[in-house]
Amino acid sequence: MTDTDIPDGFEPLSRKSPLTEPWEPLYAKKTDKAVIIGLRLAKPHTNGRGLIHGGLIAALADNAMGYSCAQMTNWTTSFVTISLTVDFVGSAEIGQWLTIESDVIRTGKTICFAQSLAKADDVVIARASGTFRVVPKKG
């Protein structure tokens, strides 16, 4: 994969985790109100039928919504997932560009509500909603 396969505005995702490491490279584009996660779909992202795995969508939606909540608080707090709901409305295949685009509904002192759309080549394939607990950063 080359940098020319990556849409403008996306840079390597700086936040790494053991869960997402096998799915690298992951990319992010920050806006004023959200962190959009993107990746070029490959074999490690698929199920036994060669379609994108729902677990990948759920995990990336969880990350994108949590990061977007954090961005709305200028990264001064952390968030842990209370609930996550995903509705699958389509599928995607190897080679397509997947984005998880989030929208923070409300951030309070203890709870953040967010939603996101998963899109394969700009076609919606899933929607997710999440509720996150605000966890003040120590130190």
Side-chain angles (χ1 to χ4, degrees), residues 25-39:
L26 297 173
Y27 297 88
K29 180 179 5 178
K30 292 182 180 179
T31 69
D32 290 344
K33 297 184 178 185
V35 176
I36 301 168
I37 293 179
L39 73 153

Side-chain angles (χ1 to χ4, degrees), residues 7-16 27-38 63-64 66-72 74-75 97 99-102 137:
D8 288 340
F10 282 90
E11 297 179 358
L13 182 65
S14 60
R15 296 187 57 108
K16 307 290 181 189
Y27 297 88
K29 180 179 5 178
K30 292 182 180 179
T31 69
D32 290 344
K33 297 184 178 185
V35 176
I36 301 168
I37 293 179
N63 282 357
Y67 295 160
S68 295
C69 287
Q71 178 147 317
M72 290 300 290
N74 293 317
W75 301 90
W97 178 253
T99 56
I100 309 293
E101 302 175 10
S102 298
K137 288 186 177 179

Side-chain angles (χ1 to χ4, degrees), residues 78-132:
S78 296
F79 294 84
V80 294
T81 308
I82 295 172
S83 70
L84 176 68
T85 303
V86 183
D87 299 311
F88 301 98
V89 297
S91 62
E93 300 176 351
I94 291 172
Q96 289 187 284
W97 178 253
L98 177 75
T99 56
I100 309 293
E101 302 175 10
S102 298
D103 182 30
V104 175
I105 305 301
R106 183 174 178 346
T107 300
K109 292 184 184 216
T110 59
I111 301 285
C112 180
F113 299 96
Q115 62 187 8
S116 65
L117 293 176
K119 297 179 180 180
D121 292 340
D122 290 322
V123 175
V124 174
I125 61 168
R127 67 179 181 169
S129 61
T131 305
F132 301 86

